[in-house]
Amino acid sequence: MKTNIAEKFEKIAEHWHPYIIGELNDNYVKLAKLKGDFVWHNHQDEDELFVVVKGTLFMEYRDGRILQTKPGEILIVPKGVDHKPYTNGEEVQVMLIEPKATKHTGDVKVEQTVENLEWI
Amino acid sequence: MKTNIAEKFEKIAEHWHPYIIGELNDNYVKLAKLKGDFVWHNHQDEDELFVVVKGTLFMEYRDGRILQTKPGEILIVPKGVDHKPYTNGEEVQVMLIEPKATKHTGDVKVEQTVENLEWI
């Protein structure tokens, strides 16, 4: 199955709302547009891969580190590690790969939390 | 962990030789440079994700289909499906995500087969 990422992004309007574009063994491949601040959370049992497609993704950790990830770079957030993604005002586009069991905001539930993932 | 893909590719000389750049649950994230023809093979139990970074990846299937995948596109080859990757003379760069148990050329063993994966 071949998928054009830009064509899928054209169908996404919301920020911080991931959509599924593929499945890979026990993982989903997802796309999300990000803008502004997201909530602190972790995924107890799942590592999370961010492939940045557009813009700069800021990822803050509890120890004060902030990693900036740009197109051509990938970021893996290990299981159990608190992280807070945000952007610097611009819209950021990311492709995510993570186990199907991964909850959007871990055990935290906020207004932005998407509980039922959809394909796009 | 943040990884710059272009910097990793600069360290790779061989074609068809994948190197590990990250681990994600039970999967490896790998990079490979491709040029010319590869062998027909399948992975009985593992889906395989190709993210094309540079060039056009040609993927041939037994039913005669040939899928061309370019930067900005992803290709998922489902488990058990025979496939033959090749390029059109140019060097192609791909990022692969697949289970750690995946054998490079499935149950086929050829001169190009890499049995012991290394990190880069």
Side-chain angles (χ1 to χ4, degrees), chain A residues 38-50:
Chain A
F38 203 57
V39 65
W40 279 104
H41 67 285
N42 71 65
H43 310 285
Q44 206 52 50
D45 298 315
E46 298 99 0
D47 304 325
E48 192 171 30
L49 170 66
F50 294 82

Side-chain angles (χ1 to χ4, degrees), chain A residues 14-51:
Chain A
E14 314 96 309
H15 292 129
W16 304 108
H17 188 128
Y19 286 92
I20 303 169
I21 62 163
E23 50 190 334
L24 186 72
N25 309 296
D26 296 326
N27 304 281
Y28 282 133
V29 183
K30 305 174 194 172
L31 296 182
K33 288 181 173 175
L34 317 178
K35 190 174 184 183
D37 283 316
F38 203 57
V39 65
W40 279 104
H41 67 285
N42 71 65
H43 310 285
Q44 206 52 50
D45 298 315
E46 298 99 0
D47 304 325
E48 192 171 30
L49 170 66
F50 294 82
V51 180

Side-chain angles (χ1 to χ4, degrees), chain A residues 2-3 5 25 47 68 74, chain B residues 2-3 25 47 68 72 74:
Chain A
K2 196 183 79 162
T3 302
I5 294 172
N25 309 296
D47 304 325
Q68 296 185 33
I74 63 170
Chain B
K2 196 183 80 163
T3 302
N25 309 295
D47 304 326
Q68 296 185 32
I74 63 170

